[in-house]
Amino acid sequence: MSAVARKPVMYGDAERWLLLHADSLDLLPQLPASSIDAVVTDPPYGIAFGHEAWDGGALTDAANFQEWTGTWAFEVLRAMKPGAWLAAFGMPRTFHRLVAGVEDAGFDIRDQILWLYAQGVPKSRTRHTGLGTCLKPAYEPVLLARKPLDGSFDENLVTHGTGALQIDQARVPRPNEERAYWPANVALSHHPWCRAGACDPACPVVLADRNSRPGAGVSRLFYTPKASRAEREAGCDQLPVREVPIYSGCAPRLVRNVHPTVKPIELMRWLTRLVCPPDGTVLDPFTGSGSTGAACVLEDRGFVGIERDKRYVPIARSRIAYWARQSTARELDG
């Protein structure tokens, strides 16, 4: 009996957010057609990351990964309103297959965002001759695709409320100026060791601004740090502490949030504001540890998340519920 036949276990308040424990390929065909305003997701990359089963197996074959991407993207497309936007993370090695699979499903490819973070760790050992097998990761691409419009752009916007990027919602503030910057397709991330007013020498924001004219550094475009330990663990106090490996030669960490690819909430909030109309609903078919859901409750967007891995469902549930409470408390205080 499939997970859908058993009915997925559901969590959330059903008004602001809903998390379903199920396999997306089983559940997506059951979602109502043309009901979703935007999709923000971080799907598997097909690189056998950390020897995780959800990122390995058949997905490591390029053709299989593209076909699998097309399968979920086709079902996502059906559930989205005409003109709705998809923002999907990828990684340089397999990003072309992600784009091709999404395009094969029927999406219009519109743009990509480069999230620059620079503090990635090389996944290759240095050989005794100074050789290696890969470069240090310093960015992740984010695909921006759109479901075809229903008529003209203006007709689609009036009928469905979708089709446009929310430019003013996602503008980047200018210091001491009323008019904010138009959102760019590059996002810079501070180094995790940066502090207010004092950046680490390896901070990509500092390096990007070094040769810019005073007051016009390229970091004005947008930046956000990788998820800190405190952000990853917020809301997870009741979950058990587990040991997770880092990289060869490093001592394992003891954490409650064991997901290996947690995205920063600030970045997910910005993407949510960019692609989802106010009061719209965002779908994430690969919820993981719940960063998209946390972003949605903080940005007053509805959220529907699907996650099949039983290790991550309690983490996502705890994190989204925590940030939903923070959002409610802020509204009451205001």
Side-chain angles (χ1 to χ4, degrees), residues 15-331:
E15 293 184 3
R16 301 175 64 189
W17 65 278
L18 185 65
L19 175 63
L20 302 108
H21 183 194
D23 190 314
S24 288
L25 296 187
D26 290 333
L27 189 58
L28 285 171
Q30 309 242 343
L31 297 183
S34 300
S35 60
I36 298 297
D37 296 281
V39 174
V40 179
T41 191
D42 184 21
Y45 297 165
I47 59 171
F49 182 86
H51 305 292
E52 293 283 355
W54 48 263
D55 200 50
L59 291 187
T60 59
D61 176 82
N64 287 341
F65 178 74
Q66 181 174 327
E67 182 180 0
W68 173 81
T69 298
T71 299
W72 68 254
F74 177 81
E75 294 300 341
V76 162
L77 183 83
R78 183 196 61 81
M80 296 168 72
K81 296 177 181 179
W85 288 82
L86 163 72
F89 283 80
M91 66 90 62
R93 194 197 318 170
T94 57
F95 190 66
H96 63 295
R97 293 288 185 170
L98 170 72
V99 175
V102 168
E103 189 172 41
D104 291 344
F107 279 90
D108 295 330
I109 306 303
R110 303 292 296 179
D111 209 334
Q112 69 171 278
I113 295 169
L114 296 183
W115 174 39
L116 308 178
Y117 49 79
Q119 66 262 40
V121 177
K123 307 304 189 294
S124 167
R125 293 182 180 179
T126 302
R127 307 303 180 185
H128 68 280
T129 54
L131 304 178
T133 59
C134 64
L135 299 173
K136 173 183 175 178
Y139 82 94
E140 287 184 29
V142 184
L143 170 64
L144 287 183
R146 187 175 67 181
K147 183 172 180 176
L149 300 172
D150 177 16
S152 70
F153 171 80
D154 289 333
E155 290 169 341
N156 195 99
L157 192 60
V158 170
T159 303
H160 304 285
T162 53
L165 292 173
Q166 308 296 310
I167 298 299
D168 282 352
Q169 291 276 324
R171 284 183 180 271
V172 181
R174 297 180 188 228
N176 304 317
E177 294 188 36
E178 183 177 345
R179 187 65 168 171
Y181 289 107
W182 190 282
N185 59 4
V186 174
L188 295 175
S189 175
H190 273 291
H191 194 282
W193 294 344
C194 293
R195 297 294 180 265
C199 285
D200 185 85
C203 174
V205 174
V206 171
L207 298 177
D209 285 347
R210 180 170 292 168
N211 296 317
S212 303
R213 63 183 175 84
V218 296
S219 67
R220 72 190 189 279
L221 299 175
F222 178 72
Y223 62 82
T224 183
K226 272 195 163 187
S228 66
R229 172 72 177 268
E231 180 179 302
R232 293 168 60 97
E233 302 272 281
C236 298
D237 294 347
Q238 79 284 5
L239 300 180
V241 174
R242 294 182 177 141
E243 185 178 277
V244 297
I246 305 179
Y247 300 108
S248 178
C250 297
R253 293 180 301 172
L254 296 175
V255 298
R256 289 181 168 85
N257 182 352
V258 297
H259 199 283
T261 62
V262 179
K263 292 297 181 289
I265 293 176
E266 187 66 25
L267 176 62
M268 307 311 283
R269 291 182 69 171
W270 182 75
L271 285 172
T272 297
R273 293 196 303 271
L274 179 68
V275 300
C276 185
D279 301 321
T281 297
V282 173
L283 169 68
D284 184 354
F286 305 100
T287 296
S289 65
S291 293
T292 302
C296 288
V297 296
L298 288 167
E299 293 296 332
D300 295 322
R301 268 69 168 178
F303 175 72
V304 176
I306 306 172
E307 176 54 46
R308 77 175 189 180
D309 196 316
K310 64 181 181 181
R311 294 174 299 168
Y312 303 144
V313 170
I315 297 170
R317 177 187 179 188
S318 298
R319 295 182 75 222
I320 298 170
Y322 171 84
W323 289 108
R325 291 194 297 272
Q326 302 307 305
S327 178
T328 300
R330 187 175 59 201
E331 290 174 2

